[in-house]
Amino acid sequence: MGILIPAWVDGALVPVDKLEAHEKGLKHKAVSVFAVRGMDILIQRRAMGKYHTPGLWANTCCTHPDWDESASACAVRRLREELGIEGLYPEYRHRLEYHADVGHNMVENEVVDVFLAHVRGPLDVDPNPDEVMEIRWIGYHDLLAEVKRYPERFTPWLKIYLHHHADTIFGPDLIISAKA
């Protein structure tokens, strides 16, 4: 058995193998983090060894909490594991649900706690090559334009976050200044 994540089976939250949850499309808990510096967002390109959506651009980092782990502790852990980022403590922004086909007969059916981390000053980033093949900072408006022009380059969840939840994730300041 692989990594166990919190998933709902017959209405009860139970530990389920991560791969099984995606193959069966079980609703499960997840955490997503966006690191922002001014108008720029740190995005990552998923490593080619990932079992779904390899090579696609996603938000700063995302994962599933361990069975007994809080969402906020999970967000801090995943920043460290995926990107080597220490000392950044994201703030909770929103809980959302989405359902998306991620290829290879797998489905993301997630209840996601989304966090926003404001970066002030320099940020040391050391991506884990097993998780991340590339990172870049991109302006919010440029990200929206790139997703619209090349949607096949981005994960389904990033497109859902940007199209349906941007106001609650990023807040009015980023949205208004990006539209100006």
Side-chain angles (χ1 to χ4, degrees):
M1 186 168 273
I3 297 169
L4 298 177
I5 64 171
W8 284 269
V9 177
D10 297 327
L13 191 61
V14 297
V16 174
D17 180 77
K18 181 172 74 166
L19 188 57
E20 178 185 352
H22 292 110
E23 290 172 339
K24 292 182 176 178
L26 298 175
K27 185 181 286 190
H28 56 275
K29 288 187 175 186
V31 169
S32 280
V33 180
F34 285 88
V36 297
R37 181 170 46 205
M39 292 291 298
D40 294 337
I41 300 170
L42 180 63
I43 61 173
Q44 67 154 284
R45 189 167 174 216
R46 293 167 57 83
M48 294 307 289
K50 302 293 276 183
Y51 68 93
H52 73 66
T53 59
L56 297 183
W57 288 96
N59 53 295
T60 307
C61 67
C62 53
T63 194
H64 307 94
D66 292 335
W67 174 249
D68 58 352
E69 184 179 36
S70 72
S72 59
C74 178
V76 170
R77 172 179 61 83
R78 203 58 182 168
L79 282 167
R80 183 182 65 251
E81 290 175 351
E82 285 191 36
L83 299 164
I85 295 173
E86 299 277 355
L88 198 57
Y89 299 96
E91 67 177 86
Y92 174 81
R93 298 298 294 194
H94 188 52
R95 175 172 282 166
L96 61 93
E97 293 188 33
Y98 78 91
H99 188 275
D101 181 340
V102 291
H104 302 10
N105 296 314
M106 287 189 238
V107 172
E108 284 287 18
N109 184 2
E110 295 191 330
V111 176
V112 187
D113 287 317
V114 183
F115 291 81
L116 188 69
H118 289 281
V119 177
R120 293 169 178 82
L123 181 68
D124 290 327
V125 183
D126 182 21
N128 176 345
D130 293 333
E131 300 286 342
V132 179
M133 64 188 294
E134 188 177 352
I135 60 168
R136 65 184 165 125
W137 288 95
I138 185 170
Y140 176 75
H141 183 72
D142 293 333
L143 178 59
L144 292 177
E146 194 172 316
V147 167
K148 186 174 183 176
R149 186 168 182 189
Y150 305 106
E152 71 280 0
R153 295 180 183 174
F154 297 89
T155 59
W157 60 89
L158 181 60
K159 293 183 280 192
I160 290 167
Y161 296 165
L162 293 173
H163 292 138
H164 302 290
H165 303 281
D167 287 345
T168 51
I169 294 171
F170 300 111
D173 293 341
L174 188 66
I175 304 302
I176 291 167
S177 52
K179 291 179 181 175

